[in-house]
Amino acid sequence: MLDFHLERNGVPIYLQIRDQFRHAIGKGVLRPGEQLPTMRELAVQLKVDLNTVRHAYDELVRCGVIVVQRARGTYVADTPPPVDVARQASKVRSLAHQVMALATSSGVDPVEVANELLKVAKQRGSKR
């Protein structure tokens, strides 16, 4: 069972669910090919409306993070979606700005965060 936590912080619930899935996949908690809980199971576990979970799953499918196999279930995608260079650059910029804002608002030096991110990437075997 996934250990997702929802917060009342103004971020829509479906985005919190989507981001927690991405985080779990990124950390290796959920591995390629692993089956996910049904939308109904997750809705019951999180005590949210089924359509909220459906919206999160739809976003993950659209991004190529998960795949739905009719009558079999929903799984973490085996391979990441193909990269659109311009879109990838835009995502990187957006993430960098988000991390910068979060670090600054938390009183943390963004350079320290960048250095730690590089260390973690190297530990996880990043291509760069």
Side-chain angles (χ1 to χ4, degrees):
M1 186 165 287
L2 297 169
D3 188 27
F4 286 179
H5 300 283
L6 302 177
E7 298 179 14
R8 293 182 183 264
N9 58 6
V11 176
I13 292 171
Y14 81 95
L15 291 177
Q16 292 182 52
I17 295 169
R18 179 201 68 189
D19 292 346
Q20 288 183 53
F21 267 116
R22 285 181 163 175
H23 183 73
I25 293 166
K27 286 185 71 175
V29 173
L30 292 172
R31 301 218 177 266
E34 188 169 343
Q35 187 168 11
L36 302 180
T38 66
M39 289 183 240
R40 186 171 308 282
E41 289 170 345
L42 190 59
V44 168
Q45 176 189 337
L46 297 176
K47 298 180 176 99
V48 298
D49 187 77
L50 176 62
N51 288 321
T52 301
V53 176
R54 184 183 321 277
H55 195 173
Y57 273 48
D58 287 347
E59 287 269 322
L60 292 165
V61 167
R62 194 172 14 264
C63 295
V65 175
I66 64 174
V67 293
V68 176
Q69 297 178 3
R70 292 253 182 242
R72 294 198 57 221
T74 304
Y75 300 84
V76 176
D78 286 328
T79 57
V83 175
D84 172 340
V85 176
R87 190 170 183 185
Q88 183 74 6
S90 175
K91 284 182 185 179
V92 169
R93 271 192 305 281
S94 176
L95 282 171
H97 286 283
Q98 289 175 33
V99 169
M100 184 79 156
L102 184 58
T104 303
S105 68
S106 300
V108 176
D109 181 0
V111 174
E112 287 182 44
V113 174
N115 289 333
E116 186 63 25
L117 181 59
L118 288 171
K119 282 188 222 172
V120 170
K122 285 179 184 175
Q123 289 171 350
R124 298 204 52 222
S126 178
K127 296 178 210 169
R128 297 179 196 240

